[in-house]
Amino acid sequence: MVFIDETWAKTNMTRVHGWAPRGERLIDKVPHGHWTTATFLAALRCDRIDAPCLFDGPINGERFLAYVEQFLVPTLASGDIVVLDNLGSHK
């Protein structure tokens, strides 16, 4: 069994408020301006992770198809069963 899953992170996922000791100013760094998204896909097996891939941007059907053809298919063996969730880009 091979489970395909993805996760993402955005640079605008930072907090806009925080805590500091009473009477002191909170100083921290956060990205400003051009927000980006990074998407990570991988094939999860019971004993390892196969075909890891990082995309600069959100996942869509074209990118998912490229992942399957270029990263996933070379790692599959005869008899492997691939399981996907119901994400729109998988269709």
Side-chain angles (χ1 to χ4, degrees):
M1 299 279 289
V2 180
F3 297 89
I4 306 301
D5 204 8
E6 60 281 317
T7 190
W8 53 266
K10 291 186 173 206
T11 58
N12 67 346
M13 294 175 63
T14 57
R15 294 181 179 194
V16 294
H17 301 287
W19 295 95
R22 185 178 296 269
E24 293 185 28
R25 176 174 268 203
L26 174 66
I27 299 175
D28 200 3
K29 297 178 183 175
V30 295
H32 291 284
H34 301 288
W35 308 117
T36 60
T37 300
T39 303
F40 177 73
L41 278 89
L44 308 172
R45 296 177 179 264
C46 65
D47 60 345
R48 68 184 181 276
I49 295 177
D50 270 345
C53 182
L54 181 65
F55 285 108
D56 185 22
I59 193 70
N60 58 27
E62 182 179 327
R63 287 182 174 185
F64 184 73
L65 182 60
Y67 167 76
V68 169
E69 292 174 348
Q70 297 172 21
F71 290 88
L72 179 62
V73 169
T75 68
L76 296 176
S78 178
D80 281 346
I81 298 171
V82 179
V83 180
L84 306 171
D85 57 11
N86 203 22
L87 186 66
S89 62
H90 294 169
K91 298 174 186 176

